[in-house]
Amino acid sequence: AQSVTQLDSQVPVFEEAPVELRCNYSSSVSVYLFWYVQYPNQGLQLLLKYLSGSTLVKGINGFEAEFNKSQTSFHLRKPSVHISDTAEYFCAVTRMDSSYKLIFGSGTRLLVRP
Amino acid sequence: EADIYQTPRYLVIGTGKKITLECSQTMGHDKMYWYQQDPGMELHLIHYSYGVNSTEKGDLSSESTVSRIRTEHFPLTLESARPSHTSQYLCASSNFATATGELFFGEGSRLTVL
């Protein structure tokens, strides 16, 4: 079975500072990896995904993530955050042979302060 | 922009009432899902469907039921609501053809059972 761990439940950061949201996963088979963002009172929106190829993946709103197979990690980064980045961020994984079910982490709340 | 709609967005109801949460998508997606989301916790898959007349239970046991009579419609029903059913319910869909696990989410239905 797959599982996803997001170590930080909340990450406070000042505007224009860099940020990293951590995600580790466990799986006995190859997986696809995703980051979703949820703004207040809204559904989830895909930020970026890793399917294969380059381990550095770029997404929307200036976010990027790096897949590290040896460390089973998929950390999300942004070099300079904005107030509007305040949201809940979810890491998710699905097996390559059954991509119909996403397993989500518990989420990390990014709080950007002025 | 995803075309998946959930109604009602917010519902407060008394114990024992029957409720139906509606979910519709206009993208012609084959697969549809219901996730349950509690504050500060990961999303848990409670139901999914591969297509018309196909429904399966997810990883989290739920007393709710679903139906898929039309491709675009995937309602969730609770025959007798209880306070333990208080949660946010997120509907999502995806395209079989892409097979990469990307989900499109509705804005959610927040249910409170008194």
Side-chain angles (χ1 to χ4, degrees):
Chain A
Q2 295 75 49
S3 67
V4 179
T5 301
Q6 292 183 246
L7 295 168
D8 306 303
S9 60
Q10 181 166 299
V11 173
V13 63
F14 287 107
E15 192 174 20
E16 298 183 4
V19 70
E20 179 179 80
L21 306 184
R22 296 180 292 170
C23 173
N24 288 88
Y25 70 93
S26 67
S27 176
S28 57
V29 298
S30 297
V31 296
Y32 298 132
L33 294 154
F34 305 82
W35 275 98
Y36 282 82
V37 60
Q38 184 178 32
Y39 298 104
N41 299 316
Q42 294 188 25
L44 277 71
Q45 177 185 0
L46 181 69
L47 263 183
L48 49 79
K49 59 187 176 185
Y50 172 78
L51 306 179
S52 64
S54 173
T55 57
L56 184 62
V57 180
K58 294 189 183 297
I60 62 172
N61 301 340
F63 284 93
E64 64 181 29
E66 186 156 19
F67 170 57
N68 188 319
K69 188 174 183 179
S70 62
Q71 296 185 4
T72 60
S73 67
F74 190 54
H75 301 332
L76 181 71
R77 297 191 292 259
K78 186 170 182 177
S80 176
V81 294
H82 302 290
I83 297 287
S84 60
D85 292 324
T86 294
E88 192 87 21
Y89 292 80
F90 291 92
C91 183
V93 62
T94 186
R95 293 168 55 137
M96 284 186 179
D97 60 352
S98 62
S99 59
Y100 54 83
K101 288 202 297 181
L102 279 183
I103 306 298
F104 286 88
S106 57
T108 297
R109 179 156 190 78
L110 177 62
L111 181 59
V112 182
R113 298 167 173 166
Chain B
E1 192 170 320
D3 296 313
I4 180 164
Y5 308 99
Q6 291 185 240
T7 57
R9 290 289 312 280
Y10 303 93
L11 179 63
V12 180
I13 201 164
T15 297
K17 300 292 186 182
K18 177 180 178 179
I19 65 113
T20 296
L21 305 180
E22 303 286 351
C23 176
S24 296
Q25 51 95 5
T26 59
M27 297 172 283
H29 285 172
D30 308 271
K31 292 181 276 189
M32 295 190 74
Y33 313 79
W34 277 103
Y35 282 86
Q36 184 173 337
Q37 181 184 26
D38 294 316
M41 299 183 71
E42 61 262 44
L43 286 74
H44 290 288
L45 181 67
I46 53 175
H47 299 283
Y48 60 98
S49 166
Y50 291 153
V52 172
N53 295 325
S54 155
T55 61
E56 301 285 344
K57 288 192 178 294
D59 302 319
L60 180 68
S61 176
S62 174
E63 294 170 343
S64 58
T65 59
V66 292
S67 61
R68 190 88 182 276
I69 299 172
R70 303 197 314 268
T71 297
E72 63 271 21
H73 196 213
F74 192 42
L76 180 146
T77 298
L78 275 166
E79 290 293 333
S80 180
R82 294 206 302 269
S84 60
H85 296 138
T86 294
S87 188
Q88 169 146 268
Y89 295 85
L90 291 169
C91 181
S93 70
S94 67
N95 189 338
F96 234 135
T98 61
T100 57
E102 178 178 353
L103 302 187
F104 295 87
F105 282 85
E107 293 187 316
S109 293
R110 188 171 294 279
L111 173 65
T112 301
V113 184
L114 303 176

